[in-house]
Amino acid sequence: MQPFTGSFTQQEPIADDAIAAAVEVLRSGRLHRYNTVGDELGPVAELEKAYAAYQAAAYCLACTSGGYAMSTALRALGIVVGDRVLTNAFTLAPVPGAIAAVGAEAVLVEITPDLVIDLDDLDSKITDSAPKAMLLSNMRGHLCDMEALMAVLNHHGVPLIEDCAHTMGASWNGRKSGSFGIAGCFSTQTYKHMNSGEGGFLTSDDPELMARAIMLSGSYMLYDRHGAAPSSDVFTDIRLDTPNMSGRMDNLRAAILLPQLATLETNIDRWNDRHDLIANRLREVAGVYVPNRPSQERYVGSSFQFLMPDVSTETVQQVVAGAKALGVELKWFGAASPVGFTSNHKSWRYVTPQDLPRTDAILSGLLDMRIPLTFSLEDCAHVADIIVHAVGQALQKGAA
């Protein structure tokens, strides 16, 4: 079989209009978000205004990263040292990291083979742990039944913060991911859905939470220069009671991002075309399970996952090695040690060890792959053929 020669980490170039906007900021010398003239909002505030409108949120804060957005949302909600915060057992390190950053204790909830949170285990964990909040990770772009989730959380009075690093632009029954809880957190890191290298957003309809978040981000007394902020009267006491934990986005990154927002919907369709081509091919393969996508979910297929249930560790490793030999980079979430961005709960020593047998069984056979928009549909068909070949070879060896 012909090897694949594309790069799984190569993003599309920044568009000319975004480059021009960045050059304009550089020529002005005014990179700091509050370095404005007269009544102008400046690029960061303009971006906040535009993203709030896109998200149908009352308020938006642009900040340094999605991880910063999550820890700031937790702090703004009032989570303190020793509080318990629920999150998915299947996620990436910045999620439990955000919980650790505020001194809280992560309580990990089991997942299902469709890579979403197990609502029965969630209900049980709430009863057992009395959490102060839930930080839901829409890991790898998979949305659970959001209405059913909110029914469980509302029944117990547990507020929700959504990690939407992998679901920017996604929706459930027409409602945007990030709008179900008290806050939504988004990332604009290079491998996400808009690319500023690093960056993030925090959105909310709660004025007091957002006022605290803005003060935490390092607004000083310049909160009136934000594009989607609560009215000044909300800040009267909050501005004096809230510490400054600087995490502002700068004008250069905002200038790069604002033109990308205009093409986000088109890019979601492009990602999904590529994702669905690969997913449909893999669904035909014996020994492979591709997670179900409910009709209520509008996802963003910037990555692809499949499971190999009930196979040995050696078989999964052979799939990874066989695909790699032909140029396809698969990440294995069941590996004993973290590799690159990929890790699992057993390697997070800052989280209290927890017994998660159902999640561990799923992760042991879970393989993951990025789908950059630099791949053509023909590239994706080639990649799918290589994965099918590697799976077949590994299963044959396992049966021998």
Side-chain angles (χ1 to χ4, degrees), residues 77 79 84-86 122-123 125-127 129-135 148-161 180-182:
L77 186 60
I79 304 302
R84 292 174 177 148
V85 176
L86 299 155
L122 173 64
D123 191 76
K125 292 281 171 65
I126 293 174
T127 301
S129 64
K132 291 295 180 67
M134 177 174 193
L135 177 56
L149 171 73
M150 292 310 300
V152 173
L153 295 178
N154 290 337
H155 174 73
H156 292 283
V158 177
L160 173 67
I161 295 169
F180 288 86
I182 194 169

Side-chain angles (χ1 to χ4, degrees), residues 278-357:
I278 298 170
N280 290 338
R281 179 72 177 89
L282 268 290
R283 285 193 179 98
E284 300 171 354
V285 178
V288 165
Y289 178 72
V290 176
N292 179 51
R293 295 287 195 173
S295 61
Q296 302 97 318
E297 179 188 24
R298 192 244 183 156
Y299 52 90
V300 185
S302 58
S303 66
F304 171 70
Q305 298 74 43
F306 67 97
L307 285 72
M308 296 188 68
D310 306 318
V311 299
S312 67
T313 293
E314 291 74 20
T315 297
V316 178
Q317 290 172 327
Q318 286 168 4
V319 173
V320 174
K324 185 175 182 180
L326 291 170
V328 172
E329 299 176 18
L330 297 175
K331 308 300 182 183
W332 178 36
F333 275 94
S337 297
V339 179
F341 294 103
T342 307
S343 63
N344 65 49
H345 68 94
K346 293 181 179 178
S347 65
W348 307 329
R349 291 185 178 176
Y350 46 88
V351 175
T352 302
Q354 296 167 48
D355 186 30
L356 297 155

Side-chain angles (χ1 to χ4, degrees), residues 100-349:
V102 299
E105 178 183 345
V107 177
L108 304 178
V109 181
E110 297 267 27
I111 62 164
T112 76
D114 291 320
L115 306 184
V116 297
I117 201 151
D118 184 314
L119 295 181
D120 290 333
D121 191 53
L122 173 64
D123 191 76
S124 176
K125 292 281 171 65
I126 293 174
T127 301
D128 293 344
S129 64
K132 291 295 180 67
M134 177 174 193
L135 177 56
L136 175 72
S137 175
N138 296 320
M139 177 62 172
R140 285 297 190 253
H142 295 272
L143 290 175
C144 71
D145 183 330
M146 294 303 296
E147 284 127 2
L149 171 73
M150 292 310 300
V152 173
L153 295 178
N154 290 337
H155 174 73
H156 292 283
V158 177
L160 173 67
I161 295 169
E162 296 177 70
D163 163 32
C164 305
H166 301 165
T167 54
M168 178 183 283
S171 60
W172 182 268
N173 267 337
R175 184 172 173 180
K176 283 278 176 65
S177 173
S179 68
F180 288 86
I182 194 169
C185 303
F186 303 83
S187 173
T188 61
Q189 186 248 28
T190 287
Y191 300 120
K192 304 305 188 298
H193 303 145
M194 296 199 297
N195 176 12
S196 61
E198 295 286 356
F201 299 115
L202 171 60
T203 61
S204 180
D205 291 335
D206 186 291
E208 292 189 358
L209 181 139
M210 186 53 70
R212 286 191 288 270
I214 288 170
M215 296 305 301
L216 284 163
S217 77
S219 70
Y220 300 91
M221 298 300 121
L222 304 174
Y223 44 81
D224 60 344
R225 299 191 191 180
H226 281 245
S231 59
S232 294
D233 61 289
V234 180
F235 290 84
T236 301
D237 292 322
I238 288 172
R239 68 195 177 112
L240 305 176
D241 297 334
T242 307
N244 181 325
M245 297 183 175
S246 298
R248 297 171 296 269
M249 183 178 283
D250 59 79
N251 282 334
L252 182 58
R253 280 185 279 184
I256 294 169
L257 287 169
L258 190 53
Q260 294 181 52
L261 184 56
T263 61
L264 178 56
E265 289 294 313
T266 297
N267 284 342
I268 291 171
D269 291 338
R270 294 173 65 209
W271 265 308
N272 289 353
D273 287 343
R274 288 154 175 77
H275 172 278
D276 292 352
L277 188 156
I278 298 170
N280 290 338
R281 179 72 177 89
L282 268 290
R283 285 193 179 98
E284 300 171 354
V285 178
V288 165
Y289 178 72
V290 176
N292 179 51
R293 295 287 195 173
S295 61
Q296 302 97 318
E297 179 188 24
R298 192 244 183 156
Y299 52 90
V300 185
S302 58
S303 66
F304 171 70
Q305 298 74 43
F306 67 97
L307 285 72
M308 296 188 68
D310 306 318
V311 299
S312 67
T313 293
E314 291 74 20
T315 297
V316 178
Q317 290 172 327
Q318 286 168 4
V319 173
V320 174
K324 185 175 182 180
L326 291 170
V328 172
E329 299 176 18
L330 297 175
K331 308 300 182 183
W332 178 36
F333 275 94
S337 297
V339 179
F341 294 103
T342 307
S343 63
N344 65 49
H345 68 94
K346 293 181 179 178
S347 65
W348 307 329
R349 291 185 178 176

Side-chain angles (χ1 to χ4, degrees), residues 16-31:
D16 288 345
D17 54 352
I19 292 172
V23 169
E24 184 177 346
V25 169
L26 290 171
R27 284 179 173 152
S28 76
R30 295 187 288 129
L31 275 67

